[in-house]
Amino acid sequence: MNRTILVVDDEPRTREGISKTLEQWAQYSIEVISASTGRDAIKIVSERPIDILITDIRMPEMTGLEVIQLLAEMDVKPIVLIMSAYSDFHYAQEAIRHGVINYLLKPIRKKELIEAVERAIAKKEDQEQGQRLTKVIDLQLLEQADFNNERYEPAIEKALRYIDDHIKEKVSLQDVANAVHLNGSYFSTLFKEEVGINFSEYVTRKRIQSAKHLLLQSDMPISLIAEEVGYQTQKYFNKIFKEYEGVTPGYYRKTYK
């Protein structure tokens, strides 16, 4: 899989040197793009997925740490490498606190740079493997529920159909229990026994699966997708989606569509 690395440094010589070193090392199997300011970096990351960010720690207007903090607020978290001409342990501590995996002191030797990028790529692959595993488990649970549909108690079959038909609405356990004419407590227990996951978990996974389908198969704005799958605000939808998928809806669409 091709990777995209963003190099951010206000010093043209350093920026160009790192880019050239990485392109030659990877034989252009990775895309290296660059920015001279933190603000330019934020703009780039908001427009396209970035796998690895290599940023100077001290820059005019916006520091590397401020860039990382803004990206975290945007729920965008590339693997980050910090570089600096200052051998200051305080900066290293602060960088590590923000999830930076390596702190490189200038001037950076080519071997040191390449080894750091190799570790960053490995970490990115581990993250993606974990996300893929989550997606597989998520999909298997829902497919299993659908596959087993004919073997469920009639009340649970009816409940699953009700959830599908009302996914855009606020679906509570008691609403569904009433629809299938069961006591709420008994229905909750029966649902968990039959489906394998509890009611609220099933509804959330169903909403996320529906959202993923719409993200990839339509051009609907994310705010409308949130409403379509039963979330009243995009902010809350983004939060839940990120918890289950590891990335924001916007990042998911850009990456997988």
Side-chain angles (χ1 to χ4, degrees), residues 204-225:
T204 301
R205 289 179 183 275
K206 199 73 176 178
R207 293 192 199 281
I208 297 300
Q209 283 300 116
S210 297
K212 286 160 64 177
H213 175 79
L214 291 172
L215 286 167
L216 299 184
Q217 301 300 325
S218 79
D219 294 319
M220 288 175 63
I222 292 174
S223 59
L224 291 183
I225 290 177

mmCIF file with all atom_site columns, all heavy atoms in Angstrom, residues 204-225:
data_model
loop_
_atom_site.group_PDB
_atom_site.id
_atom_site.type_symbol
_atom_site.label_atom_id
_atom_site.label_alt_id
_atom_site.label_comp_id
_atom_site.label_asym_id
_atom_site.label_entity_id
_atom_site.label_seq_id
_atom_site.pdbx_PDB_ins_code
_atom_site.Cartn_x
_atom_site.Cartn_y
_atom_site.Cartn_z
_atom_site.occupancy
_atom_site.B_iso_or_equiv
_atom_site.pdbx_formal_charge
_atom_site.auth_seq_id
_atom_site.auth_comp_id
_atom_site.auth_asym_id
_atom_site.auth_atom_id
_atom_site.pdbx_PDB_model_num
ATOM 1   N N   . THR A 1 204 ? -26.314 0.198  17.719 1.00 0.00 ? 204 THR A N   1
ATOM 2   C CA  . THR A 1 204 ? -25.187 1.065  17.360 1.00 0.00 ? 204 THR A CA  1
ATOM 3   C C   . THR A 1 204 ? -24.409 0.498  16.187 1.00 0.00 ? 204 THR A C   1
ATOM 4   O O   . THR A 1 204 ? -24.063 1.216  15.240 1.00 0.00 ? 204 THR A O   1
ATOM 5   C CB  . THR A 1 204 ? -24.243 1.256  18.564 1.00 0.00 ? 204 THR A CB  1
ATOM 6   O OG1 . THR A 1 204 ? -24.967 1.836  19.649 1.00 0.00 ? 204 THR A OG1 1
ATOM 7   C CG2 . THR A 1 204 ? -23.074 2.154  18.204 1.00 0.00 ? 204 THR A CG2 1
ATOM 8   N N   . ARG A 1 205 ? -24.124 -0.805 16.233 1.00 0.00 ? 205 ARG A N   1
ATOM 9   C CA  . ARG A 1 205 ? -23.384 -1.428 15.129 1.00 0.00 ? 205 ARG A CA  1
ATOM 10  C C   . ARG A 1 205 ? -24.182 -1.348 13.827 1.00 0.00 ? 205 ARG A C   1
ATOM 11  O O   . ARG A 1 205 ? -23.619 -1.147 12.747 1.00 0.00 ? 205 ARG A O   1
ATOM 12  C CB  . ARG A 1 205 ? -23.061 -2.879 15.464 1.00 0.00 ? 205 ARG A CB  1
ATOM 13  C CG  . ARG A 1 205 ? -22.002 -3.036 16.553 1.00 0.00 ? 205 ARG A CG  1
ATOM 14  C CD  . ARG A 1 205 ? -21.737 -4.503 16.853 1.00 0.00 ? 205 ARG A CD  1
ATOM 15  N NE  . ARG A 1 205 ? -20.789 -4.666 17.927 1.00 0.00 ? 205 ARG A NE  1
ATOM 16  C CZ  . ARG A 1 205 ? -19.469 -4.661 17.772 1.00 0.00 ? 205 ARG A CZ  1
ATOM 17  N NH1 . ARG A 1 205 ? -18.950 -4.485 16.577 1.00 0.00 ? 205 ARG A NH1 1
ATOM 18  N NH2 . ARG A 1 205 ? -18.673 -4.825 18.812 1.00 0.00 ? 205 ARG A NH2 1
ATOM 19  N N   . LYS A 1 206 ? -25.477 -1.520 13.922 1.00 0.00 ? 206 LYS A N   1
ATOM 20  C CA  . LYS A 1 206 ? -26.322 -1.434 12.736 1.00 0.00 ? 206 LYS A CA  1
ATOM 21  C C   . LYS A 1 206 ? -26.289 -0.031 12.153 1.00 0.00 ? 206 LYS A C   1
ATOM 22  O O   . LYS A 1 206 ? -26.218 0.166  10.938 1.00 0.00 ? 206 LYS A O   1
ATOM 23  C CB  . LYS A 1 206 ? -27.763 -1.812 13.108 1.00 0.00 ? 206 LYS A CB  1
ATOM 24  C CG  . LYS A 1 206 ? -28.623 -2.190 11.917 1.00 0.00 ? 206 LYS A CG  1
ATOM 25  C CD  . LYS A 1 206 ? -28.222 -3.550 11.376 1.00 0.00 ? 206 LYS A CD  1
ATOM 26  C CE  . LYS A 1 206 ? -29.133 -3.983 10.238 1.00 0.00 ? 206 LYS A CE  1
ATOM 27  N NZ  . LYS A 1 206 ? -28.723 -5.287 9.659  1.00 0.00 ? 206 LYS A NZ  1
ATOM 28  N N   . ARG A 1 207 ? -26.320 0.971  13.018 1.00 0.00 ? 207 ARG A N   1
ATOM 29  C CA  . ARG A 1 207 ? -26.242 2.354  12.557 1.00 0.00 ? 207 ARG A CA  1
ATOM 30  C C   . ARG A 1 207 ? -24.899 2.625  11.866 1.00 0.00 ? 207 ARG A C   1
ATOM 31  O O   . ARG A 1 207 ? -24.843 3.265  10.818 1.00 0.00 ? 207 ARG A O   1
ATOM 32  C CB  . ARG A 1 207 ? -26.408 3.316  13.734 1.00 0.00 ? 207 ARG A CB  1
ATOM 33  C CG  . ARG A 1 207 ? -27.786 3.332  14.386 1.00 0.00 ? 207 ARG A CG  1
ATOM 34  C CD  . ARG A 1 207 ? -27.876 4.524  15.333 1.00 0.00 ? 207 ARG A CD  1
ATOM 35  N NE  . ARG A 1 207 ? -28.949 4.394  16.306 1.00 0.00 ? 207 ARG A NE  1
ATOM 36  C CZ  . ARG A 1 207 ? -30.226 4.615  16.073 1.00 0.00 ? 207 ARG A CZ  1
ATOM 37  N NH1 . ARG A 1 207 ? -30.624 4.921  14.854 1.00 0.00 ? 207 ARG A NH1 1
ATOM 38  N NH2 . ARG A 1 207 ? -31.125 4.503  17.042 1.00 0.00 ? 207 ARG A NH2 1
ATOM 39  N N   . ILE A 1 208 ? -23.820 2.153  12.473 1.00 0.00 ? 208 ILE A N   1
ATOM 40  C CA  . ILE A 1 208 ? -22.488 2.381  11.902 1.00 0.00 ? 208 ILE A CA  1
ATOM 41  C C   . ILE A 1 208 ? -22.347 1.684  10.559 1.00 0.00 ? 208 ILE A C   1
ATOM 42  O O   . ILE A 1 208 ? -21.790 2.242  9.604  1.00 0.00 ? 208 ILE A O   1
ATOM 43  C CB  . ILE A 1 208 ? -21.385 1.918  12.884 1.00 0.00 ? 208 ILE A CB  1
ATOM 44  C CG1 . ILE A 1 208 ? -21.427 2.746  14.175 1.00 0.00 ? 208 ILE A CG1 1
ATOM 45  C CG2 . ILE A 1 208 ? -20.004 2.018  12.232 1.00 0.00 ? 208 ILE A CG2 1
ATOM 46  C CD1 . ILE A 1 208 ? -21.223 4.232  13.968 1.00 0.00 ? 208 ILE A CD1 1
ATOM 47  N N   . GLN A 1 209 ? -22.850 0.450  10.464 1.00 0.00 ? 209 GLN A N   1
ATOM 48  C CA  . GLN A 1 209 ? -22.790 -0.273 9.186  1.00 0.00 ? 209 GLN A CA  1
ATOM 49  C C   . GLN A 1 209 ? -23.568 0.468  8.118  1.00 0.00 ? 209 GLN A C   1
ATOM 50  O O   . GLN A 1 209 ? -23.120 0.585  6.971  1.00 0.00 ? 209 GLN A O   1
ATOM 51  C CB  . GLN A 1 209 ? -23.339 -1.693 9.350  1.00 0.00 ? 209 GLN A CB  1
ATOM 52  C CG  . GLN A 1 209 ? -22.381 -2.669 10.021 1.00 0.00 ? 209 GLN A CG  1
ATOM 53  C CD  . GLN A 1 209 ? -21.091 -2.830 9.236  1.00 0.00 ? 209 GLN A CD  1
ATOM 54  O OE1 . GLN A 1 209 ? -20.024 -2.485 9.726  1.00 0.00 ? 209 GLN A OE1 1
ATOM 55  N NE2 . GLN A 1 209 ? -21.157 -3.339 8.031  1.00 0.00 ? 209 GLN A NE2 1
ATOM 56  N N   . SER A 1 210 ? -24.748 0.968  8.461  1.00 0.00 ? 210 SER A N   1
ATOM 57  C CA  . SER A 1 210 ? -25.554 1.726  7.496  1.00 0.00 ? 210 SER A CA  1
ATOM 58  C C   . SER A 1 210 ? -24.819 2.995  7.087  1.00 0.00 ? 210 SER A C   1
ATOM 59  O O   . SER A 1 210 ? -24.820 3.380  5.911  1.00 0.00 ? 210 SER A O   1
ATOM 60  C CB  . SER A 1 210 ? -26.914 2.082  8.115  1.00 0.00 ? 210 SER A CB  1
ATOM 61  O OG  . SER A 1 210 ? -27.655 0.923  8.422  1.00 0.00 ? 210 SER A OG  1
ATOM 62  N N   . ALA A 1 211 ? -24.179 3.655  8.049  1.00 0.00 ? 211 ALA A N   1
ATOM 63  C CA  . ALA A 1 211 ? -23.431 4.876  7.755  1.00 0.00 ? 211 ALA A CA  1
ATOM 64  C C   . ALA A 1 211 ? -22.256 4.587  6.825  1.00 0.00 ? 211 ALA A C   1
ATOM 65  O O   . ALA A 1 211 ? -21.994 5.344  5.878  1.00 0.00 ? 211 ALA A O   1
ATOM 66  C CB  . ALA A 1 211 ? -22.929 5.503  9.053  1.00 0.00 ? 211 ALA A CB  1
ATOM 67  N N   . LYS A 1 212 ? -21.549 3.497  7.058  1.00 0.00 ? 212 LYS A N   1
ATOM 68  C CA  . LYS A 1 212 ? -20.411 3.136  6.216  1.00 0.00 ? 212 LYS A CA  1
ATOM 69  C C   . LYS A 1 212 ? -20.866 2.911  4.779  1.00 0.00 ? 212 LYS A C   1
ATOM 70  O O   . LYS A 1 212 ? -20.201 3.326  3.823  1.00 0.00 ? 212 LYS A O   1
ATOM 71  C CB  . LYS A 1 212 ? -19.726 1.889  6.776  1.00 0.00 ? 212 LYS A CB  1
ATOM 72  C CG  . LYS A 1 212 ? -18.910 2.176  8.032  1.00 0.00 ? 212 LYS A CG  1
ATOM 73  C CD  . LYS A 1 212 ? -18.636 0.936  8.853  1.00 0.00 ? 212 LYS A CD  1
ATOM 74  C CE  . LYS A 1 212 ? -17.798 -0.082 8.158  1.00 0.00 ? 212 LYS A CE  1
ATOM 75  N NZ  . LYS A 1 212 ? -17.499 -1.241 9.034  1.00 0.00 ? 212 LYS A NZ  1
ATOM 76  N N   . HIS A 1 213 ? -22.005 2.253  4.627  1.00 0.00 ? 213 HIS A N   1
ATOM 77  C CA  . HIS A 1 213 ? -22.542 2.010  3.284  1.00 0.00 ? 213 HIS A CA  1
ATOM 78  C C   . HIS A 1 213 ? -22.834 3.344  2.585  1.00 0.00 ? 213 HIS A C   1
ATOM 79  O O   . HIS A 1 213 ? -22.479 3.536  1.410  1.00 0.00 ? 213 HIS A O   1
ATOM 80  C CB  . HIS A 1 213 ? -23.810 1.166  3.384  1.00 0.00 ? 213 HIS A CB  1
ATOM 81  C CG  . HIS A 1 213 ? -24.494 0.959  2.059  1.00 0.00 ? 213 HIS A CG  1
ATOM 82  N ND1 . HIS A 1 213 ? -24.049 0.027  1.139  1.00 0.00 ? 213 HIS A ND1 1
ATOM 83  C CD2 . HIS A 1 213 ? -25.577 1.577  1.495  1.00 0.00 ? 213 HIS A CD2 1
ATOM 84  C CE1 . HIS A 1 213 ? -24.832 0.081  0.064  1.00 0.00 ? 213 HIS A CE1 1
ATOM 85  N NE2 . HIS A 1 213 ? -25.753 1.003  0.263  1.00 0.00 ? 213 HIS A NE2 1
ATOM 86  N N   . LEU A 1 214 ? -23.471 4.261  3.287  1.00 0.00 ? 214 LEU A N   1
ATOM 87  C CA  . LEU A 1 214 ? -23.810 5.559  2.696  1.00 0.00 ? 214 LEU A CA  1
ATOM 88  C C   . LEU A 1 214 ? -22.570 6.394  2.407  1.00 0.00 ? 214 LEU A C   1
ATOM 89  O O   . LEU A 1 214 ? -22.513 7.106  1.402  1.00 0.00 ? 214 LEU A O   1
ATOM 90  C CB  . LEU A 1 214 ? -24.752 6.325  3.630  1.00 0.00 ? 214 LEU A CB  1
ATOM 91  C CG  . LEU A 1 214 ? -26.164 5.750  3.773  1.00 0.00 ? 214 LEU A CG  1
ATOM 92  C CD1 . LEU A 1 214 ? -26.934 6.472  4.863  1.00 0.00 ? 214 LEU A CD1 1
ATOM 93  C CD2 . LEU A 1 214 ? -26.918 5.829  2.447  1.00 0.00 ? 214 LEU A CD2 1
ATOM 94  N N   . LEU A 1 215 ? -21.567 6.304  3.269  1.00 0.00 ? 215 LEU A N   1
ATOM 95  C CA  . LEU A 1 215 ? -20.330 7.049  3.052  1.00 0.00 ? 215 LEU A CA  1
ATOM 96  C C   . LEU A 1 215 ? -19.632 6.613  1.771  1.00 0.00 ? 215 LEU A C   1
ATOM 97  O O   . LEU A 1 215 ? -19.064 7.426  1.049  1.00 0.00 ? 215 LEU A O   1
ATOM 98  C CB  . LEU A 1 215 ? -19.386 6.873  4.243  1.00 0.00 ? 215 LEU A CB  1
ATOM 99  C CG  . LEU A 1 215 ? -19.749 7.631  5.517  1.00 0.00 ? 215 LEU A CG  1
ATOM 100 C CD1 . LEU A 1 215 ? -18.920 7.113  6.695  1.00 0.00 ? 215 LEU A CD1 1
ATOM 101 C CD2 . LEU A 1 215 ? -19.532 9.134  5.349  1.00 0.00 ? 215 LEU A CD2 1
ATOM 102 N N   . LEU A 1 216 ? -19.682 5.309  1.497  1.00 0.00 ? 216 LEU A N   1
ATOM 103 C CA  . LEU A 1 216 ? -18.965 4.771  0.338  1.00 0.00 ? 216 LEU A CA  1
ATOM 104 C C   . LEU A 1 216 ? -19.803 4.744  -0.934 1.00 0.00 ? 216 LEU A C   1
ATOM 105 O O   . LEU A 1 216 ? -19.264 4.814  -2.036 1.00 0.00 ? 216 LEU A O   1
ATOM 106 C CB  . LEU A 1 216 ? -18.469 3.354  0.651  1.00 0.00 ? 216 LEU A CB  1
ATOM 107 C CG  . LEU A 1 216 ? -17.498 3.219  1.822  1.00 0.00 ? 216 LEU A CG  1
ATOM 108 C CD1 . LEU A 1 216 ? -17.023 1.779  1.954  1.00 0.00 ? 216 LEU A CD1 1
ATOM 109 C CD2 . LEU A 1 216 ? -16.302 4.147  1.662  1.00 0.00 ? 216 LEU A CD2 1
ATOM 110 N N   . GLN A 1 217 ? -21.115 4.636  -0.782 1.00 0.00 ? 217 GLN A N   1
ATOM 111 C CA  . GLN A 1 217 ? -21.972 4.445  -1.951 1.00 0.00 ? 217 GLN A CA  1
ATOM 112 C C   . GLN A 1 217 ? -22.758 5.685  -2.344 1.00 0.00 ? 217 GLN A C   1
ATOM 113 O O   . GLN A 1 217 ? -23.540 5.643  -3.300 1.00 0.00 ? 217 GLN A O   1
ATOM 114 C CB  . GLN A 1 217 ? -22.953 3.293  -1.680 1.00 0.00 ? 217 GLN A CB  1
ATOM 115 C CG  . GLN A 1 217 ? -22.296 1.969  -1.360 1.00 0.00 ? 217 GLN A CG  1
ATOM 116 C CD  . GLN A 1 217 ? -21.396 1.461  -2.470 1.00 0.00 ? 217 GLN A CD  1
ATOM 117 O OE1 . GLN A 1 217 ? -21.697 1.662  -3.646 1.00 0.00 ? 217 GLN A OE1 1
ATOM 118 N NE2 . GLN A 1 217 ? -20.300 0.806  -2.122 1.00 0.00 ? 217 GLN A NE2 1
ATOM 119 N N   . SER A 1 218 ? -22.603 6.774  -1.610 1.00 0.00 ? 218 SER A N   1
ATOM 120 C CA  . SER A 1 218 ? -23.333 7.995  -1.940 1.00 0.00 ? 218 SER A CA  1
ATOM 121 C C   . SER A 1 218 ? -22.448 9.207  -1.731 1.00 0.00 ? 218 SER A C   1
ATOM 122 O O   . SER A 1 218 ? -21.361 9.113  -1.165 1.00 0.00 ? 218 SER A O   1
ATOM 123 C CB  . SER A 1 218 ? -24.586 8.120  -1.063 1.00 0.00 ? 218 SER A CB  1
ATOM 124 O OG  . SER A 1 218 ? -24.251 8.605  0.232  1.00 0.00 ? 218 SER A OG  1
ATOM 125 N N   . ASP A 1 219 ? -22.929 10.351 -2.196 1.00 0.00 ? 219 ASP A N   1
ATOM 126 C CA  . ASP A 1 219 ? -22.238 11.619 -1.987 1.00 0.00 ? 219 ASP A CA  1
ATOM 127 C C   . ASP A 1 219 ? -22.983 12.491 -0.979 1.00 0.00 ? 219 ASP A C   1
ATOM 128 O O   . ASP A 1 219 ? -22.784 13.704 -0.922 1.00 0.00 ? 219 ASP A O   1
ATOM 129 C CB  . ASP A 1 219 ? -22.103 12.374 -3.321 1.00 0.00 ? 219 ASP A CB  1
ATOM 130 C CG  . ASP A 1 219 ? -21.194 11.653 -4.308 1.00 0.00 ? 219 ASP A CG  1
ATOM 131 O OD1 . ASP A 1 219 ? -20.156 11.128 -3.864 1.00 0.00 ? 219 ASP A OD1 1
ATOM 132 O OD2 . ASP A 1 219 ? -21.528 11.591 -5.503 1.00 0.00 ? 219 ASP A OD2 1
ATOM 133 N N   . MET A 1 220 ? -23.826 11.869 -0.180 1.00 0.00 ? 220 MET A N   1
ATOM 134 C CA  . MET A 1 220 ? -24.580 12.611 0.830  1.00 0.00 ? 220 MET A CA  1
ATOM 135 C C   . MET A 1 220 ? -23.641 13.306 1.804  1.00 0.00 ? 220 MET A C   1
ATOM 136 O O   . MET A 1 220 ? -22.629 12.725 2.211  1.00 0.00 ? 220 MET A O   1
ATOM 137 C CB  . MET A 1 220 ? -25.490 11.656 1.621  1.00 0.00 ? 220 MET A CB  1
ATOM 138 C CG  . MET A 1 220 ? -26.684 11.135 0.858  1.00 0.00 ? 220 MET A CG  1
ATOM 139 S SD  . MET A 1 220 ? -27.603 9.911  1.860  1.00 0.00 ? 220 MET A SD  1
ATOM 140 C CE  . MET A 1 220 ? -28.117 10.955 3.242  1.00 0.00 ? 220 MET A CE  1
ATOM 141 N N   . PRO A 1 221 ? -23.941 14.530 2.194  1.00 0.00 ? 221 PRO A N   1
ATOM 142 C CA  . PRO A 1 221 ? -23.140 15.190 3.236  1.00 0.00 ? 221 PRO A CA  1
ATOM 143 C C   . PRO A 1 221 ? -23.182 14.370 4.523  1.00 0.00 ? 221 PRO A C   1
ATOM 144 O O   . PRO A 1 221 ? -24.185 13.707 4.812  1.00 0.00 ? 221 PRO A O   1
ATOM 145 C CB  . PRO A 1 221 ? -23.844 16.541 3.426  1.00 0.00 ? 221 PRO A CB  1
ATOM 146 C CG  . PRO A 1 221 ? -24.623 16.754 2.178  1.00 0.00 ? 221 PRO A CG  1
ATOM 147 C CD  . PRO A 1 221 ? -25.027 15.396 1.697  1.00 0.00 ? 221 PRO A CD  1
ATOM 148 N N   . ILE A 1 222 ? -22.110 14.431 5.271  1.00 0.00 ? 222 ILE A N   1
ATOM 149 C CA  . ILE A 1 222 ? -22.026 13.634 6.494  1.00 0.00 ? 222 ILE A CA  1
ATOM 150 C C   . ILE A 1 222 ? -23.113 14.023 7.491  1.00 0.00 ? 222 ILE A C   1
ATOM 151 O O   . ILE A 1 222 ? -23.640 13.168 8.210  1.00 0.00 ? 222 ILE A O   1
ATOM 152 C CB  . ILE A 1 222 ? -20.623 13.759 7.110  1.00 0.00 ? 222 ILE A CB  1
ATOM 153 C CG1 . ILE A 1 222 ? -19.601 13.090 6.198  1.00 0.00 ? 222 ILE A CG1 1
ATOM 154 C CG2 . ILE A 1 222 ? -20.563 13.138 8.509  1.00 0.00 ? 222 ILE A CG2 1
ATOM 155 C CD1 . ILE A 1 222 ? -18.162 13.269 6.612  1.00 0.00 ? 222 ILE A CD1 1
ATOM 156 N N   . SER A 1 223 ? -23.493 15.293 7.510  1.00 0.00 ? 223 SER A N   1
ATOM 157 C CA  . SER A 1 223 ? -24.561 15.722 8.422  1.00 0.00 ? 223 SER A CA  1
ATOM 158 C C   . SER A 1 223 ? -25.879 15.019 8.113  1.00 0.00 ? 223 SER A C   1
ATOM 159 O O   . SER A 1 223 ? -26.620 14.630 9.026  1.00 0.00 ? 223 SER A O   1
ATOM 160 C CB  . SER A 1 223 ? -24.756 17.233 8.334  1.00 0.00 ? 223 SER A CB  1
ATOM 161 O OG  . SER A 1 223 ? -25.084 17.626 7.004  1.00 0.00 ? 223 SER A OG  1
ATOM 162 N N   . LEU A 1 224 ? -26.157 14.805 6.818  1.00 0.00 ? 224 LEU A N   1
ATOM 163 C CA  . LEU A 1 224 ? -27.387 14.105 6.429  1.00 0.00 ? 224 LEU A CA  1
ATOM 164 C C   . LEU A 1 224 ? -27.287 12.608 6.699  1.00 0.00 ? 224 LEU A C   1
ATOM 165 O O   . LEU A 1 224 ? -28.273 11.968 7.063  1.00 0.00 ? 224 LEU A O   1
ATOM 166 C CB  . LEU A 1 224 ? -27.700 14.356 4.950  1.00 0.00 ? 224 LEU A CB  1
ATOM 167 C CG  . LEU A 1 224 ? -28.119 15.776 4.573  1.00 0.00 ? 224 LEU A CG  1
ATOM 168 C CD1 . LEU A 1 224 ? -28.475 15.854 3.096  1.00 0.00 ? 224 LEU A CD1 1
ATOM 169 C CD2 . LEU A 1 224 ? -29.309 16.212 5.420  1.00 0.00 ? 224 LEU A CD2 1
ATOM 170 N N   . ILE A 1 225 ? -26.091 12.057 6.507  1.00 0.00 ? 225 ILE A N   1
ATOM 171 C CA  . ILE A 1 225 ? -25.892 10.637 6.816  1.00 0.00 ? 225 ILE A CA  1
ATOM 172 C C   . ILE A 1 225 ? -26.139 10.392 8.295  1.00 0.00 ? 225 ILE A C   1
ATOM 173 O O   . ILE A 1 225 ? -26.759 9.398  8.676  1.00 0.00 ? 225 ILE A O   1
ATOM 174 C CB  . ILE A 1 225 ? -24.479 10.186 6.403  1.00 0.00 ? 225 ILE A CB  1
ATOM 175 C CG1 . ILE A 1 225 ? -24.362 10.164 4.871  1.00 0.00 ? 225 ILE A CG1 1
ATOM 176 C CG2 . ILE A 1 225 ? -24.141 8.813  6.983  1.00 0.00 ? 225 ILE A CG2 1
ATOM 177 C CD1 . ILE A 1 225 ? -22.991 9.801  4.364  1.00 0.00 ? 225 ILE A CD1 1
#
